[in-house]
Amino acid sequence: VYQKTLTAIASPHNGSLSGLSGRVLDIAYVGIGSSYKRLAQIALLRGEPQDALTHCLTAESYLLRASASAERRRWLLRTYEQLAWAYSKLGDFDLAIQRRLETRRELERDHDTYGLARNSLYFGDDYLREIKRQVSASLSAASHGEGTVDAHDKRPHPSGEVSQGELRQAVRRT
């Protein structure tokens, strides 16, 4: 629907929408952007962070084409939350945290308590994911007789996941 609206407005033979084209374009851009944001969320839930990253960047590009508005800003901030999640799932913890902090500042500025609550929850998820990754890397190194591991070593645990028992043991050792 949104793509057809953009096509109709772009048509040189469509003079009847000329007075409305700015507002209609904004609606179309926000609609397309929010749809891509939702596709990113679905991709993340399916375990496809690379696809989610692509959808987030596409959503951002459409949303930034719309005129500044509260609705556009809300969708952009929600898209940035998804973008941080994608970075986190892809193992780029620093970029994920940077994006979360930038988004948090904007949410605080807007006094968006709902957004701030979600941001805090997502921060916790990111840190938990990073802790598990580091524990997994340490356990993997220990099982290979390597001793300690650099915190930025991204080698996964042999099984791909850290069990609750392994996590408890690693925490007790520290």
Side-chain angles (χ1 to χ4, degrees), residues 128-147:
L128 182 58
R129 189 174 294 110
E130 179 63 7
I131 288 167
K132 284 182 177 182
R133 187 198 60 74
Q134 288 185 21
V135 168
S136 176
S138 294
L139 290 172
S140 177
S143 71
H144 291 99
E146 297 175 21

Side-chain angles (χ1 to χ4, degrees), residues 33 35-60 78-90:
S35 294
Y36 274 105
K37 182 263 180 204
R38 288 184 184 108
L39 287 173
Q41 186 170 8
I42 291 167
L44 284 163
L45 293 171
R46 286 184 172 173
E48 301 165 350
Q50 189 62 51
D51 289 345
L53 181 65
T54 301
H55 293 317
C56 284
L57 296 173
T58 304
E60 179 186 36
R78 300 299 186 254
T79 298
Y80 294 152
E81 291 286 4
Q82 299 293 314
L83 188 60
W85 187 10
Y87 285 137
S88 177
K89 296 285 272 184
L90 289 168

Side-chain angles (χ1 to χ4, degrees), residues 6-27:
L6 289 174
T7 303
I9 292 168
S11 171
H13 304 293
N14 194 352
S16 63
L17 294 176
S18 61
L20 301 175
S21 64
R23 179 68 182 133
V24 172
L25 276 174
D26 287 344
I27 291 168

